[in-house]
Amino acid sequence: MRPFVSVVIPTYNRPYPLAELLEALSRQTYRHFEVIIVNDGGIPVHDVVALYPELDVRLIDRRENEGHVAARNEGVKAARGDLIMLCDDDDLVLPCHLERMAAALEHADFAYADAEIVQYRVKNDQRVPSARFLFAYEYDLEAMRTFSTYVPSGSVYRKSLHDEIGCFDTTVHHYWDWDFFLRAASVCRVTRVAAATVLYAFSPDGDNVSRHMNDKRRQYLRRLCEKHGLGDLPMKNFWLLLDEPEVAKRRAKSEVIWDGKPVVSRFWAQKNASDH
């Protein structure tokens, strides 16, 4: 029996990237999955979902914007699958991704893949890749306590894990994924899949970059450190951290698969056609 996977996607006011993700999911070679989209108080996305009837999609509309961590928790609770796959609404997975992750879980409880970090320029609402680099590091749990190289998008794990460690922790917000990984790794078998089957959107000027070192973020980091006994970790820019000797020596080889072409969604194609 091929395990049934629930893909959990929180979204907030990003219909075009969300549509690209649905396009990427429609191309998966592994077909035994459902998609749970949790719209966290954002603009309606029913018209985006309607363009992918071949996908088994459930859309949960939240009245208030409570944040992506709480939205993920709601998505997991609604999941029917034996396995959960996490994905941000602006990240993408290559067609072979789910197939490889399901295979990896034959001998593990939690699998995460390598990624390509992709910067985009937006042209007429279409994201066009402008830069890319490989994000691949050896799995070293002790080293992960200093700098996390876990990319949550595309990671797949047994839903029963939540029965053991609970839900995602909203009190660490920016560091929810690091916290989740450390908790998971303490109780289950983790494996890294050495293939860059995830395209992780990252902009030096965007809202997902760590150089905005505000007090709130520092507070979340302090809470994470206290929770896991990590000591007093410094807040550093993501790009600078990658050049730290302790991080750089963990760089690993990985299979690079992506052809570099943008993912064109039906939503964009429809909107573009109606505008002309």
Side-chain angles (χ1 to χ4, degrees):
M1 284 289 291
R2 288 158 72 84
F4 188 57
V5 183
S6 295
V7 181
V8 175
I9 308 166
T11 191
Y12 180 70
N13 291 348
R14 291 200 282 214
Y16 284 96
L18 174 64
E20 291 176 22
L21 174 54
L22 292 182
E23 180 68 34
L25 290 173
S26 76
R27 301 178 186 178
Q28 292 298 300
T29 56
Y30 189 97
R31 306 301 301 175
H32 198 43
F33 67 93
E34 66 173 355
V35 181
I36 301 173
I37 299 172
V38 184
N39 187 2
D40 192 30
I43 59 176
V45 293
H46 298 82
D47 52 346
V48 176
V49 172
L51 292 171
Y52 292 91
E54 74 274 30
L55 293 177
D56 176 7
V57 181
R58 275 187 292 155
L59 178 59
I60 300 172
D61 281 311
R62 293 162 67 93
R63 288 190 176 185
E64 303 294 330
N65 175 244
E66 296 182 43
H68 59 88
V69 186
R72 277 188 188 84
N73 282 330
E74 185 162 349
V76 166
K77 286 175 185 173
R80 296 185 302 231
D82 308 303
L83 304 178
I84 302 288
M85 181 176 110
L86 303 176
C87 208
D88 285 348
D89 62 354
D90 61 341
D91 295 334
L92 300 169
V93 287
L94 300 183
C96 63
H97 178 78
L98 257 177
E99 191 87 52
R100 294 190 179 208
M101 302 306 279
L105 284 179
E106 290 178 12
H107 306 289
D109 308 300
F110 188 119
Y112 70 100
D114 293 336
E116 286 205 61
I117 307 290
V118 184
Q119 294 179 41
Y120 298 95
R121 57 184 174 84
V122 179
K123 184 178 180 182
N124 191 27
D125 291 319
Q126 171 67 52
R127 293 189 301 175
V128 179
S130 58
R132 60 192 280 195
F133 77 91
L134 180 64
F135 189 84
Y137 294 84
E138 298 291 351
Y139 170 48
D140 181 333
L141 182 56
E142 189 55 38
M144 293 278 266
R145 291 171 59 83
T146 303
F147 177 68
S148 174
T149 50
Y150 162 60
V151 174
S153 279
S155 61
V156 180
Y157 59 91
R158 302 187 192 284
K159 187 187 178 185
S160 58
L161 174 63
H162 287 288
D163 297 332
E164 197 165 350
I165 68 171
C167 57
F168 304 120
D169 188 349
T170 58
T171 70
V172 293
H173 192 66
H174 291 294
Y175 302 97
W176 73 272
D177 49 346
W178 195 353
D179 168 70
F180 174 60
F181 186 88
L182 292 177
R183 285 191 288 145
S186 70
V187 300
C188 71
R189 299 169 298 167
V190 175
T191 189
R192 162 189 162 247
V193 177
T197 54
V198 175
L199 304 183
Y200 181 77
F202 198 98
S203 168
D205 304 312
D207 59 3
N208 59 353
V209 68
S210 299
R211 69 191 176 107
H212 299 294
M213 308 296 189
N214 54 38
D215 291 338
K216 199 73 174 172
R217 188 182 292 269
R218 196 176 302 278
Q219 178 184 328
Y220 293 136
L221 180 60
R222 191 177 301 121
R223 195 171 291 152
L224 174 82
C225 291
E226 290 171 356
K227 185 174 179 180
H228 294 280
L230 304 181
D232 187 19
L233 293 180
M235 289 184 64
K236 288 188 178 181
N237 177 284
F238 174 78
W239 302 102
L240 294 178
L241 272 168
L242 293 182
D243 290 328
E244 290 277 341
E246 288 301 307
V247 178
K249 75 179 185 182
R250 288 165 53 199
R251 286 187 191 131
K253 292 183 178 180
S254 185
E255 183 182 0
V256 175
I257 302 167
W258 182 42
D259 62 8
K261 295 178 181 177
V263 173
V264 180
S265 73
R266 296 171 201 170
F267 183 66
W268 182 87
Q270 182 188 74
K271 292 286 186 181
N272 201 48
S274 64
D275 289 343
H276 292 79

